[in-house]
Amino acid sequence: MPRLLARGLILLVLLLPHAPRAGTLDRAAMERLFPAPLVVGEKEASPPVWPIFRTAMTSPELVAYAFESADLAPIPGFSGVPPNLLVALGPDGSYLDVRVLSHHEPVFLEGLGEEPLHRFVAQYAGLGLRQSVKVGSATTGASRGGSAAATIDGVAKATASVRIINESVLAAALAVARAKLGFAAGRDPGLRVTPREDAFEPLPWPELLRRGLVRRVAPSNAEVERGFAGTSVAGMDAAALAAPEAAFAEIHIAYLNTPVTGRNLLGEAGWRALQRDLEGGHHAILLLSSGRWDALGEDFVRGAVPDRVALIQDGLPIGLRDIGLERIALPPGAPEGRATILRIGAQAGLDPSQPWALELKVTRERGQIFPERVSQVLAAAYEPQPGLFLREAPDAAGGWRALAAERAAELGLLAAALALLLVALARQRWLTASPRGFALFRAGFLLFTLGVIGWQAQAQLSVVTLAGLVRAAAGTGDLSFLLYDPASLLLWGVTLATLVAWGRGTFCGWLCPFGALQELARQAAAPLRLRQVRVPPRWDARLRRVKYLALALVLGSALLPAPWAEAAAELEPFKTAITLGFDRSWPFVLYAGGLVVANLVLHKAFCRWLCPLGAALVLGGRLRVPDWLARREACGSPCQLCRVRCDYGAIRRDGGIDYDACFQCMDCVVIHNDRRQCVPLVLADRRAARGRGA
């Protein structure tokens, strides 16, 4: 049956016509969304946008371009279907409105509900493409961040989904901005520019200046005074009036990521330390300030965001933050002054291979009780030298790299735990040498799986991902949605790799949060001494087939209209129990909770008989190379201890292992290696003892 199922699914995918990816709104719908006094113009073909006008006297005034994200940036969500958002973009690149037209994100459908999603997209109003918009934690609060950056609230338990929404809004808006608004405030988010590691030669400070790798800006007192001419604060600087040709300030700036600049300025030790701070694609700029005016300000605190300095590229302000280094050792010849290193986040969109500028804000005050402040800006342009950078074409992985960098600590913890598990499973005898030690290790790792992998990292693998793959194969062919959840992607990689080594058991027995929840619940209920129900082998074999029907139902429904697919995916209780932590309407909680309770007397009934993901892993487990569970000649004849103790029914009467049913719980390995439990070993020891006594 599994082989017939696989062939049928492949045939169905091949025969299904590709799904269209066009928007859905017609003129009548647009006029309802933008009623009078607004006027909806004719839809343009390239790009597909609706101009929105307001009548001003006798001539219409363009107030926005409205478009659907699915027309311009069909980034698949976790169901494999791109979310579709209506975006109204003003002529200045600001978001006037963003609304959800349609989506198929499982976490918002009969889960959290759609209200959190609508609140999320409402935050875009008032922001724009000239800002770096970042999705933050749902608990830290949103921040408009001035003109350069903004952080909008994420949605707890839907981190990956809202990041896909954000990428859809940004990518679609940038396409319209480049085509219709005439400015390049935002480049393709996947563009990757990296310094060339081989472009290095030792250079002294004067040569760095001569080549433009270090830029010197030294405005005179007279230049600054001219900037305040005609204002209420003109002529207030007595020192400037006394020495107009003297330097007001001396500023040196340099981009430190390139080895020829960074290594020469900071030395080898400083360069290596900086590289550790910049992991994840961040940028660093040296700012050396000397003279009468301090570019950072007297009240500047290490590690803070400077308010006198802004970085501008293509009209886009980009956020800066001090790295907080107390001592920076510059090479001989550098002037005395206040040196700091400013970091630019990887998501800010800086292209270091293109010109940029530092804007230095000089402010004067007049009055004491209610002071009047007047500012002017001094520009310090920086022209990168040719041949120092590699530019890679945009790809879907660019957004993934930034996301992975944000979750580096979490991914590192997950990777370390997975490595520990793989090493332990590869050393069976060492792992099971002490039955009590093994029991403690297994209980501890199951707690990690439930608490960290499941509830914290939200990395519960699901058949929904497989359904998304089917839908993508039949439609867009775009699998980039997998990259927006790096924790799950890492877990998928380990799961697929271990299918070859051990079969489906590594995930089902160790890495499935819902499976861990069931097993931990059973351990907690052990003092109740509930009677365990054993299903006869004949019925067990029949019930195992049900999960293949469940798999066929879920994957087949992925090719049907969305409501059917979403309803079929609810066969899995993972979204209710793990993703949403049972915070859901009572029918779903009753179903998921009922499965956990049933497991107390009927061990992992869902996993063994109903789980569609388990069925898919069984099919993948047919790739398993070794029979990794050791057996003895006496196993099965006459000894039946392991078979009787196996709660999964994975040991046949003849002592052989049914790896399709094995969850790698290792209980039989503990027995096999324990001279106090394994019957053949116990009998052998008794015979040896009698022989010695004779």
Side-chain angles (χ1 to χ4, degrees), residues 78 105 157-165 403 407 484-485:
F78 274 88
E105 294 304 290
K157 303 176 182 178
T159 304
S161 290
V162 295
R163 289 184 187 278
I164 292 173
I165 298 287
L403 178 57
R407 301 180 67 180
Y484 287 88
D485 189 357

Side-chain angles (χ1 to χ4, degrees), residues 268-638:
E268 290 297 331
W271 167 255
R272 287 195 298 270
L274 179 66
Q275 293 308 296
R276 290 192 293 269
D277 284 329
L278 299 182
E279 287 181 358
H282 305 301
H283 309 270
I285 291 174
L286 173 71
L287 177 65
L288 175 60
S289 179
S290 54
R292 295 180 53 229
W293 181 77
D294 188 343
L296 294 175
E298 295 78 8
D299 299 329
F300 180 74
V301 178
R302 292 284 184 185
V305 177
D307 57 4
R308 292 187 177 187
V309 182
L311 190 149
I312 305 295
Q313 186 176 61
D314 290 331
L316 172 67
I318 295 177
L320 296 163
R321 177 178 289 274
D322 177 51
I323 287 182
L325 298 179
E326 291 293 337
R327 294 183 180 180
I328 301 172
L330 295 178
E336 296 292 331
R338 186 177 185 182
T340 190
I341 296 177
L342 300 174
R343 188 174 76 166
I344 301 128
Q347 289 187 322
L350 176 69
D351 181 353
S353 66
Q354 298 300 309
W356 50 268
L358 280 187
E359 289 189 347
L360 309 172
K361 185 169 69 173
V362 181
T363 302
R364 289 182 182 177
E365 292 187 5
R366 180 184 180 89
Q368 294 182 351
I369 299 177
F370 298 105
E372 177 187 4
R373 293 183 176 87
V374 179
S375 300
Q376 67 154 308
V377 173
L378 305 175
Y382 190 86
E383 185 79 28
Q385 301 301 298
L388 296 182
F389 298 93
L390 297 173
R391 294 171 61 88
E392 296 182 14
D395 65 330
W400 176 84
R401 292 188 188 98
L403 178 57
E406 284 186 11
R407 301 180 67 180
E410 181 181 83
L411 292 172
L413 175 62
L414 181 57
L418 293 173
L420 172 63
L421 176 64
L422 296 180
V423 171
L425 295 179
R427 302 180 64 187
Q428 294 179 42
R429 296 193 67 86
W430 170 81
L431 180 61
T432 60
S434 166
R436 178 173 175 75
F438 171 76
L440 291 174
F441 176 82
R442 179 162 174 79
F445 201 92
L446 291 177
L447 283 169
F448 176 86
T449 295
L450 177 60
V452 177
I453 296 179
W455 286 333
Q456 178 182 321
Q458 294 285 287
Q460 168 76 67
L461 302 191
S462 169
V463 75
V464 171
T465 304
L466 302 183
L469 292 175
V470 171
R471 196 181 283 269
T476 66
D478 187 353
L479 305 182
S480 62
F481 68 93
L482 296 172
L483 302 175
Y484 287 88
D485 189 357
S488 293
L489 190 62
L490 175 61
L491 202 60
W492 272 115
V494 171
T495 298
L496 295 177
T498 54
L499 286 177
V500 179
W502 296 303
R504 56 88 62 98
T506 306
F507 174 78
C508 294
W510 292 88
L511 298 174
C512 176
F514 186 72
L517 173 63
Q518 293 177 88
E519 191 159 339
L520 292 170
R522 194 178 188 219
Q523 292 179 16
L528 300 178
R529 299 184 180 277
L530 299 174
R531 182 180 177 183
Q532 301 299 301
V533 177
R534 287 275 185 163
V535 176
R538 183 178 60 177
W539 280 101
D540 179 54
R542 292 174 179 174
L543 288 171
R544 289 185 198 176
R545 299 174 185 171
V546 176
K547 62 179 174 286
Y548 298 107
L549 295 176
L551 176 63
L553 175 63
V554 173
L555 297 189
S557 65
L559 307 175
L560 300 176
W564 292 95
E566 290 145 11
E570 293 298 342
L571 283 171
E572 286 186 332
F574 303 160
K575 180 165 63 176
T576 300
I578 305 301
T579 306
L580 302 175
F582 291 100
D583 183 12
R584 208 176 180 192
S585 57
W586 71 264
F588 298 101
V589 173
L590 184 63
Y591 173 62
L595 290 174
V596 176
V597 172
N599 153 77
L600 302 182
V601 295
L602 200 58
H603 187 54
K604 288 192 175 179
F606 172 79
C607 302
R608 294 159 60 194
W609 302 326
L610 297 176
C611 180
L613 177 61
L617 294 179
V618 169
L619 296 176
R622 302 290 172 82
L623 300 172
R624 175 187 49 80
V625 175
D627 288 344
W628 61 273
L629 285 169
R631 299 279 83 194
R632 291 190 173 88
E633 187 176 349
C635 294
S637 179

